[in-house]
Amino acid sequence: NAGVMQNPRHLVRRRGQEARLRCSPMKGHSHVYWYRQLPEEGLKFMVYLQKENIIDESGMPKERFSAEFPKEGPSILRIQQVVRGDSAAYFCASSPRPGPYNEQFFGPGTRLTVL
Amino acid sequence: AQKITQTQPGMFVQEKEAVTLDCTYDTSDQSYGLFWYKQPSSGEMIFLIYQGSYDEQNATEGRYSLNFQKARKSANLVISASQLGDSAMYFCAMREAEFPNAGGTSYGKLTFGQGTILTVHP
């Protein structure tokens, strides 16, 4: 049973370009969470999705960021017109069930560098 | 107020010794889960141990144990017999029973502390 997959592992973009980060949850998991880790900091929640639905996007910046989890295919975190402050590690996690007692399984992360 | 507080930015321990990493949390929920993750220099997040708020016994997983003191709202991680490979960043996290809509399904995002860098000396 493969773990959570994220690609690319490293992504370099110039200011103003778009970044697309992909996450394939573990088999059988329909709950996906995105977190961002700025340098020297802990992970911060961004968005929680179930298949075809955004449940909570309270941690997402209001502009330039969007996320989706289509019926088929991976979850996508999209950052438009990237700025240097977007440079961070972006982690995706999946869970079989949403409650507080269930572990979230993390992917290896995508390290975004904005030049 | 911080939901998860890790007061030790860095800790040092001698190989084969035990070490305790501190974590305190703040919640008004009765149902919540506490987690510890390890992040080595390679960057991935590795799940170590979990404690549920209603669990009466402290969780243990191999060399890891969680010293859960509910009244004090602390969930310290104890690593016994430290190994060189334990050198990493350690994060404490909490998952609360949040209900985005009245009567909806609890989902619980993870809230992380700032982390503690553990260095194991030979």
Side-chain angles (χ1 to χ4, degrees):
Chain A
N1 188 8
V4 178
M5 313 278 282
Q6 286 188 254
N7 68 79
R9 294 291 302 275
H10 299 274
L11 183 61
V12 179
R13 285 287 177 266
R14 296 191 181 280
R15 280 179 296 169
Q17 292 184 319
E18 179 180 286
R20 280 184 176 240
L21 288 60
R22 294 174 189 78
C23 168
S24 296
M26 287 180 72
K27 188 176 180 181
H29 289 193
S30 59
H31 303 271
V32 167
Y33 304 77
W34 285 92
Y35 296 86
R36 178 166 66 174
Q37 185 180 28
L38 295 170
E40 311 299 326
E41 293 190 12
L43 280 72
K44 297 279 195 313
F45 168 78
M46 298 182 75
V47 62
Y48 162 56
L49 311 101
Q50 293 180 18
K51 282 285 186 183
E52 301 184 275
N53 288 303
I54 297 174
I55 307 300
D56 180 5
E57 55 183 346
S58 59
M60 289 274 270
K62 294 285 184 268
E63 297 176 350
R64 303 187 297 108
F65 285 72
S66 62
E68 62 179 19
F69 189 16
K71 188 177 180 181
E72 301 290 338
S75 176
I76 306 283
L77 180 68
R78 183 183 178 205
I79 312 171
Q80 294 179 289
Q81 299 176 317
V82 295
V83 301
R84 288 222 173 100
D86 296 333
S87 294
Y90 292 83
F91 288 92
C92 165
S94 74
S95 184
R97 286 168 296 278
Y101 304 121
N102 296 293
E103 178 192 344
Q104 292 183 13
F105 296 81
F106 280 81
T110 294
R111 271 111 190 121
L112 172 65
T113 302
V114 180
L115 301 178
Chain B
Q2 292 282 346
K3 288 218 170 195
I4 295 282
T5 303
Q6 294 181 252
T7 57
Q8 307 152 314
M11 288 286 285
F12 295 89
V13 66
Q14 206 72 28
E15 196 178 5
K16 299 179 186 174
E17 298 286 314
V19 64
T20 298
L21 306 184
D22 295 341
C23 173
T24 57
Y25 60 93
D26 182 27
T27 181
S28 55
D29 282 0
Q30 296 300 311
S31 298
Y32 53 90
L34 296 158
F35 302 80
W36 278 90
Y37 286 87
K38 173 184 178 181
Q39 188 177 42
S41 57
S42 51
E44 71 267 35
M45 294 290 287
I46 301 168
F47 166 74
L48 295 178
I49 195 166
Y50 155 81
Q51 179 87 40
S53 58
Y54 290 114
D55 293 341
E56 295 187 354
Q57 303 271 2
N58 284 343
T60 59
E61 287 286 347
R63 294 187 298 111
Y64 304 108
S65 60
L66 202 151
N67 184 0
F68 180 45
Q69 298 187 45
K70 194 170 182 177
R72 297 178 63 182
K73 293 189 175 178
S74 75
N76 299 339
L77 176 71
V78 180
I79 306 174
S80 63
S82 297
Q83 302 171 357
L84 296 177
D86 293 335
S87 293
M89 176 76 93
Y90 288 80
F91 290 102
C92 179
M94 176 171 62
R95 195 172 182 187
E96 296 169 285
E98 299 182 51
F99 295 86
N101 303 300
T105 303
S106 161
Y107 68 93
K109 61 181 181 281
L110 281 169
T111 302
F112 285 84
Q114 289 292 93
T116 297
I117 300 176
L118 176 66
T119 304
V120 181
H121 289 302

